[in-house]
Amino acid sequence: MYDFEVARPSTIAEAASALSAEGAQVLGGGHTLIPTLKNRLARPSVLVSVSRIDEMRGVRVENEKCLCVGGAATHAEVASSAEESFPALAWLAGNIGDPAVRNRGTVGGSLANNDPSACYPAAALAVGATIETNNREIAADDFFRGMFETELKEGEIITKVRFPIPDAGNYQKFEQPASRFALVGVFLAQFGSEVRIGVTGASESGVFRWADAEAALSADFSTEAANGLPAAPGAMINDLHGSGEYRAHLMKVLTARAVAAAS
Amino acid sequence: MPKDYGIGASSKRREDVRFLTGSGRYTDDINVPGQAFVSFVRSEVAHGKLNSVETEEASAMPGVLRVFTGADFEGVGGLPCGWQITDRNGEPMKEPAHPILAQGKVRHVGDPIAAVVAESEAQARDAAEAVAVDVQELPAVLDMKSALEDEGLVHEDAGTNLCFDWGFVEDNKDAVDAALAGAHHVTTLELTNNRLVANAMEPRVAIGDYDAATDVSTLFTTSQNPHVIRLLMGAFVLSIPEHKLRVVAPDVGGGFGSKIYHYAEEAFCTFAARQLLCPVKWTATRSESFVTDAHGRDHVSKIELGLDEDGNFLAIRTATLANMGAYLSTFAPAVPTYLHGTLMAGNYKTPNIYVNVKAVFTNTVPVDAYRGAGRPEATFQLERVIDKAARELGIDPVELRRKNFIDKEQFPYATPVALQYDTGDYAATMDKLAEISDFEGFESRLEESKRNGKLRGLGVNCYIEACGIAPSNLVGQLGARAGLYESATVRVNATGSVTILTGTHSHGQGHETTFPQVLADMFGIGEDQINLVHGDTANTPMGMGTYGSRSIAVGGAALVRAAEKIIAKAKKIAAHLMEASADDIEFADGQFTVAGTDKSVAWGDVCLTAYVPHNYPLEELEPGLEETSFYDPANFTFPAGAYACEVEVEPETGKVDVVAFSAADDFGNVINPMIVDGQVHGGIAQGIGQALREHAVYDDGGQLVSGSYMEYAMPRADDIPDLAVDHSCQTPCTHNPLGVKGCGEAGAIGSPPTVVNAVVDALQRGGYDVDHIDMPLSPFRVWSAING
């Protein structure tokens, strides 16, 4: 990797200040960024690590309705802290990578990177999470902008994510054989009779809400309804691990499983 | 009661103390004072004309000692190939030059173009980015069938992309054609043996060092066979005589074949150290490993099996395209030929067999031996076509195999593809397999899977392998440019401890444990009194190294021969001490006795006498107790076995889970059952990896799409079920002194067809009309097959 400086601020304000430097970049768990640097595919001047910012750590339940996760909270923390309050999200977090990944990787890092096969974006979309930064709040529906693209501006840090806790929720992940990222992942959330579905891994446009499935399942929450869904619109990812057609098929299978599991 | 020491004991692996506590000494752990570092500039395109390499800017960068290009290697030999195949017309194979750094053309992504040597690794890498390479990209030659049309040539000098067209045995061809034409039934199968990356845990490393005062070059390298590297690099590349060249391979962290070969980086570091008068070190990144370590497999084959109305095999005809990649790696031509065609008889008494192999150059990483090397490719074709034939004829696959087994009374058995199997009992291993894998309980397990919405299948498979390639005079006639003996020196120390020095090496096999076990039995002393030295040409006898499951079968035999010489001499010393005739001396349990008397002297007293020869027949016998043997086997050894596997398939996604796996192997005598279990476990894990997950995939432009672990699917612990491994069926090898056969590759040979047979069985039981799926059987491929 190329030379760079490391800043380790202890407050969000210090981090924001450090990020104003030319070529500065946020460092969360580093599981995408560090391999990128090792391959010399990025050349930041300074990495601003957020792992020592206490106000960005922690996982807690607010008003029994919302799981508030610090932007620098690790997947392992979410997996253990949300087990009672939001088991679907805890399961999602507990099945990312391996223990080493889960003890370093952060929620904020995953959402900010918006890898088209990452798990958290599907959950954020499905429950209508609010992404808080050092400057503002962004609704999940407005946050994701296609593969690896988000609403975040330069120097903006995800400080906290508020996940509304659904009445019923379930995440189904079909693993890509090599990376064990989601070849397709479907997060289903039910608030009253309203069903919301976030899909990751499938679309060339990145994570998305599957409107047809939401409408059909809001009207009839059954595996039969899931199995009868029309093919999802838009171009699906086509690579050596699966064609677009296969991914579209997996979306239905996983949605039906999520319905069965959440029923 | 199992033995607790010596041959047959599951002695704990003594090397694991350092491997498991982080105190191993691998090549990258070696740092020579004053060393510089090299970073290679590699081709980013698969095929191109190299117009220019501009090094001026890089040369001026901080810390840079020198930038080398292909021009610096004019007059230096290229990398040699160690095996010459003669084709069907009696012509030698095409053997294009393989320069250390590219000259005129680049031929695969990863082909080295320039090398920057600098004081630090980072400086070398910085400067490597400043080397300006002008390449005029040419269309990549990738698909083997298209390559044979010769529209674009990987090597213009060769005039063709066909390296050789080999027929085996050519004299069988007409009889095979006639037998197939007259057969009651012919089953045909076209299949691909997927290209693999070896992925040793330890990446390759090379450190070249040169001592100008003594004119001695030293290469530290990650090698399975340091003497072979010394011979090839010294004699063919750099013209350094062996007494001026030392090759050291310390602890080696896995190889699977990929660390047999002589690589450009080894020659470069040795050459550059002489030029710059400072040590030069290279450590591969994992990304470099993917595009520079020799790949494995990559065959496309058609096999036809003719049967009579009773299911007896009449004839086999195969036609294979074997990918050589861009250059001939050290042993590449031997893999699809003498390690593949000779195995096509399998465990069966098929009377007529003909194998045709066309080896093809493409713009891909060179392909060479990978755990099993040719034998998995042969077994995969044969065992898949037998399974298909069984289904077509409505015969139980196990019964069809049993019907055609070579009977144990038929050994020694000469196959129509030039091998003479010395021993075997294939019915016994199949019986054992039926027992340990509970064939009878399958139906109830099938019902349980059905209740869970899963398909279940049972796959059965047999294999035979040929290990310890030999004898040297025969393999020389077949094109080998090296001998295939092995060596051992037994150095008995004055106080009775023993040091073994051997030309074999270990990259995970546990030789430091097993070799002493053999001598502990022979000398009647504790294993802890014996140690093993290997991996350094400066202090071990010339040997050919470790591959092809040869170390105990060939190296162990050399060890026994050397130890027999020790015992013969020690008896003379003991006879002198007891004033008896050497012919009357008996040796057992560490005691020399005069037959029929109570006179005895202990091992330690004899050893001490040999080195403190005060009371010694100096006029008749040299002092000291050290002997060397070179052992050249009379024949291959032939491990064989029967494997079974049960899979569950999720029809809606195509996901396959291996839920049970059993292996009944005949390795002849076994030195350390625990280590043999481990070898089989590892081989099966790799075989399951090949069957379900691993695949080196090139895109149309010749880029390696699966060039990282994000895309290249390695098997992981939770992909592997509990493995039931049994090696109690033992028909000892008849021609080596230990009666051993070798076990290193069996698992990787026997398991891929077992898994595929099981998946096809599951799909057919589930009502799907699928008779073959090419590996890897990823969920996507299985789902695609189910859905037509």
Side-chain angles (χ1 to χ4, degrees):
Chain A
M1 53 182 75
Y2 299 111
D3 286 349
F4 53 82
E5 301 293 323
V6 177
R8 291 180 167 277
S10 54
T11 67
I12 293 169
E14 285 172 17
S17 167
L19 279 167
S20 62
E22 177 83 23
Q25 183 156 3
V26 183
L27 174 67
H31 276 97
T32 301
L33 182 55
I34 299 296
T36 304
L37 297 181
K38 285 169 83 172
N39 283 317
R40 297 188 160 211
L41 297 173
R43 194 168 197 165
S45 60
V46 55
L47 293 185
V48 180
S49 169
V50 294
S51 60
R52 290 186 182 174
I53 301 176
D54 288 342
E55 54 193 314
M56 284 176 62
R57 302 299 296 250
V59 178
R60 66 178 199 282
V61 178
E62 261 180 16
N63 305 326
E64 297 182 4
K65 286 185 174 166
C66 185
L67 191 78
C68 291
V69 181
T74 64
H75 310 323
E77 286 166 347
V78 175
S80 60
S81 306
E83 210 167 358
E84 298 284 321
S85 55
F86 193 172
L89 192 71
W91 188 91
L92 176 152
N95 283 277
I96 295 172
D98 56 25
V101 169
R102 293 194 288 275
N103 284 317
R104 290 292 307 171
T106 65
V107 175
S110 174
L111 294 175
N113 189 46
N114 192 20
D115 186 298
S117 301
C119 297
Y120 274 118
L125 267 188
V127 300
T130 301
I131 290 126
E132 292 187 18
T133 75
N134 49 325
N135 293 328
R136 56 184 170 148
E137 296 188 355
I138 310 169
D141 280 330
D142 300 326
F143 182 80
F144 302 104
R145 289 279 179 247
M147 289 186 180
F148 300 106
E149 299 285 337
T150 69
E151 266 302 291
L152 290 175
K153 303 273 190 294
E154 207 161 296
E156 198 167 12
I157 310 166
I158 296 178
T159 54
K160 189 194 288 182
V161 185
R162 294 207 311 273
F163 292 95
I165 299 171
D167 300 324
N170 187 262
Y171 181 57
Q172 294 287 328
K173 175 184 182 182
F174 194 84
E175 289 179 346
Q176 194 256 52
S179 68
R180 298 199 177 182
F181 273 60
L183 185 68
V184 176
V186 171
F187 200 105
L188 178 150
Q190 197 175 28
F191 297 90
S193 65
E194 187 200 356
V195 173
R196 292 170 59 111
I197 290 176
V199 179
T200 189
S203 170
E204 286 192 347
S205 309
V207 65
F208 71 103
R209 280 177 64 189
W210 190 8
D212 289 343
E214 291 182 350
L217 293 171
S218 294
D220 174 13
F221 194 69
S222 68
T223 53
E224 292 74 21
N227 287 327
L229 287 168
M236 295 294 148
I237 298 171
N238 188 348
D239 63 17
L240 70 144
H241 304 292
S243 64
E245 187 192 2
Y246 181 56
R247 282 180 162 85
H249 169 76
L250 284 180
M251 281 170 52
K252 282 207 275 189
V253 171
L254 298 182
T255 301
R257 288 180 182 179
V259 169
S263 296
Chain B
M1 182 78 182
K3 285 181 69 174
D4 59 4
Y5 84 102
I7 293 172
S10 285
S11 302
K12 293 270 170 59
R13 286 167 40 109
R14 59 174 76 176
E15 45 272 83
D16 284 352
V17 173
R18 61 179 197 278
F19 294 159
L20 299 180
T21 58
S23 22
R25 186 170 181 261
Y26 297 91
T27 308
D28 193 49
D29 294 322
I30 297 171
N31 291 294
V32 186
Q35 71 192 6
F37 297 84
V38 57
S39 178
F40 289 94
V41 178
R42 298 183 180 280
S43 179
E44 294 175 358
V45 302
H47 195 193
K49 184 168 175 292
L50 192 54
N51 289 330
S52 66
V53 183
E54 184 54 60
T55 62
E56 199 170 332
E57 184 188 342
S59 301
M61 287 177 68
V64 173
L65 302 179
R66 187 163 157 191
V67 182
F68 293 81
T69 68
D72 294 298
F73 286 84
E74 278 169 16
V76 175
L79 297 177
C81 182
W83 201 298
Q84 178 183 287
I85 294 299
T86 303
D87 78 6
R88 295 176 61 193
N89 303 315
E91 296 293 319
M93 67 186 187
K94 297 287 187 290
E95 194 173 352
H98 187 177
I100 306 302
L101 295 176
Q103 294 176 347
K105 275 185 87 174
V106 290
R107 295 186 174 88
H108 68 88
V109 171
D111 209 359
I113 296 170
V116 178
V117 181
E119 289 166 5
S120 77
E121 210 168 349
Q123 287 170 333
R125 214 165 155 187
D126 285 344
E129 289 181 2
V131 174
V133 177
D134 178 8
V135 174
Q136 180 191 338
E137 196 169 352
L138 299 168
V141 178
L142 296 165
D143 173 69
M144 287 192 280
K145 275 181 192 155
S146 318
L148 290 177
E149 292 167 13
D150 286 340
E151 282 175 11
L153 294 177
V154 179
H155 296 277
E156 281 72 12
D157 294 352
T160 170
N161 292 320
L162 178 65
C163 178
F164 58 77
D165 178 1
W166 180 79
F168 195 72
V169 174
E170 202 59 36
D171 290 346
N172 293 352
K173 188 171 185 304
D174 292 345
V176 168
D177 291 347
L180 286 173
H184 166 73
H185 182 84
V186 177
T187 296
T188 303
L189 188 58
E190 294 186 34
L191 38 72
T192 296
N193 206 292
N194 41 326
R195 177 184 276 248
L196 303 176
V197 179
N199 284 308
M201 194 178 285
E202 178 205 25
R204 285 191 300 114
V205 182
I207 308 167
D209 191 15
Y210 177 64
D211 181 352
T214 59
D215 188 33
V216 170
S217 289
T218 302
L219 169 68
F220 300 91
T221 184
T222 46
S223 176
Q224 300 174 212
N225 30 243
H227 289 280
V228 174
I229 302 304
R230 185 181 65 164
L231 179 66
L232 294 176
M233 185 174 77
F236 298 100
V237 187
L238 299 179
S239 299
I240 305 172
E242 281 146 305
H243 70 300
K244 296 292 189 187
L245 179 58
R246 174 185 174 199
V247 177
V248 184
D251 287 332
V252 179
F256 315 111
S258 70
K259 291 174 182 168
I260 298 172
Y261 322 117
H262 179 36
Y263 286 97
E265 294 86 357
E266 295 172 318
F268 176 82
C269 289
T270 309
F271 177 83
R274 291 168 72 96
Q275 297 279 312
L276 299 170
L277 299 177
C278 79
V280 175
K281 181 172 187 174
W282 171 73
T283 301
T285 64
R286 183 58 66 181
S287 304
E288 271 183 308
S289 300
F290 269 99
V291 295
T292 65
D293 292 4
H295 289 181
R297 315 283 192 255
D298 206 352
H299 286 192
V300 175
S301 299
K302 177 181 178 184
I303 180 166
E304 297 161 279
L305 170 66
L307 306 95
D308 71 14
E309 53 272 26
D310 297 323
N312 296 305
F313 300 165
L314 299 176
I316 292 167
R317 181 168 60 201
T318 75
T320 287
L321 297 179
N323 203 333
M324 295 285 101
Y327 303 98
L328 289 179
S329 178
T330 312
F331 289 109
V335 175
T337 52
Y338 293 105
L339 296 175
H340 162 257
T342 51
L343 271 294
M344 206 54 80
N347 312 51
Y348 312 103
K349 49 195 174 197
T350 313
N352 296 293
I353 300 176
Y354 177 72
V355 175
N356 176 245
V357 177
K358 292 184 174 70
V360 186
F361 291 115
T362 60
N363 291 119
T364 61
V365 172
V367 179
D368 206 327
Y370 168 77
R371 201 172 192 170
R375 292 156 287 187
E377 295 90 322
T379 304
F380 187 68
Q381 292 174 65
L382 182 61
E383 294 293 327
R384 285 291 303 124
V385 83
I386 291 171
D387 238 50
K388 188 178 180 206
R391 289 176 203 290
E392 288 175 355
L393 295 171
I395 304 174
D396 178 81
V398 173
E399 290 315 309
L400 184 60
R401 287 177 168 87
R402 282 183 183 277
K403 175 189 268 296
N404 286 284
F405 278 157
I406 299 161
D407 300 322
K408 67 176 175 181
E409 293 78 17
Q410 290 178 281
F411 292 93
Y413 181 84
T415 74
V417 274
L419 294 181
Q420 170 126 335
Y421 299 167
D422 57 345
T423 59
D425 186 348
Y426 308 140
T429 44
M430 185 60 89
D431 290 345
K432 176 58 72 176
L433 181 72
E435 176 195 326
I436 63 174
S437 56
D438 183 25
F439 285 173
E440 289 180 1
F442 177 75
E443 292 296 331
S444 68
R445 297 191 292 276
L446 176 66
E447 290 309 313
E448 193 189 331
S449 296
K450 278 184 185 166
R451 281 195 292 277
N452 297 324
K454 306 272 182 70
L455 311 175
R456 194 181 186 102
L458 169 64
V460 176
N461 178 67
C462 297
Y463 78 90
I464 186 162
E465 66 170 318
C467 302
I469 314 171
S472 291
N473 51 8
L474 173 69
V475 296
Q477 288 169 24
L478 303 180
R481 289 165 167 165
L484 284 160
Y485 52 84
E486 195 44 77
S487 64
T489 294
V490 175
R491 176 177 295 162
V492 179
N493 302 306
T495 56
S497 68
V498 178
T499 301
I500 303 166
L501 306 112
T502 176
T504 63
H505 200 9
S506 181
H507 42 289
Q509 291 86 347
H511 294 175
E512 289 170 54
T513 302
T514 47
F515 280 49
Q517 285 183 254
V518 173
L519 281 200
D521 255 21
M522 293 183 72
F523 292 163
I525 60 175
E527 291 172 19
D528 61 352
Q529 296 298 301
I530 308 164
N531 74 327
L532 179 77
V533 174
H534 54 189
D536 185 345
T537 61
N539 59 18
T540 56
M542 171 81 177
M544 299 309 291
T546 290
Y547 41 81
S549 307
R550 71 190 298 273
S551 293
I552 203 68
V554 189
L559 178 65
V560 170
R561 290 284 185 255
E564 287 169 350
K565 292 184 193 176
I566 292 284
I567 291 170
K569 183 172 179 183
K571 280 182 175 179
K572 291 180 186 169
I573 300 170
H576 176 81
L577 291 175
M578 294 185 283
E579 297 177 340
S581 161
D583 294 340
D584 293 335
I585 303 296
E586 292 174 347
F587 178 53
D589 299 327
Q591 291 289 325
F592 296 88
T593 53
V594 181
T597 75
D598 59 358
K599 282 189 185 177
S600 76
V601 290
W603 166 259
D605 293 328
V606 170
C607 300
L608 190 64
T609 303
Y611 289 95
V612 187
H614 296 167
N615 174 15
Y616 197 91
L618 287 167
E619 57 287 356
E620 298 161 22
L621 204 60
E622 293 174 8
L625 204 47
E626 173 169 326
E627 299 288 350
T628 296
S629 268
F630 286 78
Y631 182 84
D632 205 284
N635 191 0
F636 295 81
T637 64
F638 298 99
Y643 285 11
C645 158
E646 290 182 29
V647 297
E648 282 189 337
V649 181
E650 215 172 66
E652 55 188 356
T653 63
K655 185 167 183 289
V656 174
D657 282 315
V658 178
V659 292
F661 201 108
S662 316
D665 293 292
D666 174 2
F667 296 130
N669 294 334
V670 165
I671 307 298
N672 184 317
M674 177 196 72
I675 286 179
V676 170
D677 285 353
Q679 286 283 323
V680 177
H681 291 161
I684 292 172
Q686 275 183 306
I688 291 175
Q690 172 169 24
L692 298 183
R693 295 181 171 275
E694 297 184 47
H695 200 189
V697 178
Y698 282 93
D699 69 12
D700 293 343
Q703 297 291 330
L704 183 62
V705 177
S706 48
S708 81
Y709 294 130
M710 293 297 282
E711 304 296 337
Y712 188 95
M714 294 290 284
R716 306 185 200 200
D718 62 356
D719 295 321
I720 311 299
D722 282 343
L723 305 171
V725 170
D726 182 285
H727 33 81
S728 62
C729 297
Q730 298 181 347
T731 61
C733 170
T734 58
H735 59 78
N736 68 41
L738 288 167
V740 294
K741 297 183 175 182
C743 65
E745 297 161 294
I749 296 169
S751 54
T754 317
V755 174
V756 178
N757 286 347
V759 172
V760 171
D761 184 63
L763 297 183
Q764 296 211 348
R765 286 176 194 272
Y768 299 100
D769 183 22
V770 174
D771 59 21
H772 181 70
I773 307 174
D774 272 329
M775 300 186 292
L777 273 58
S778 65
F780 173 47
R781 285 191 172 188
V782 174
W783 178 82
S784 300
I786 286 174
N787 291 282

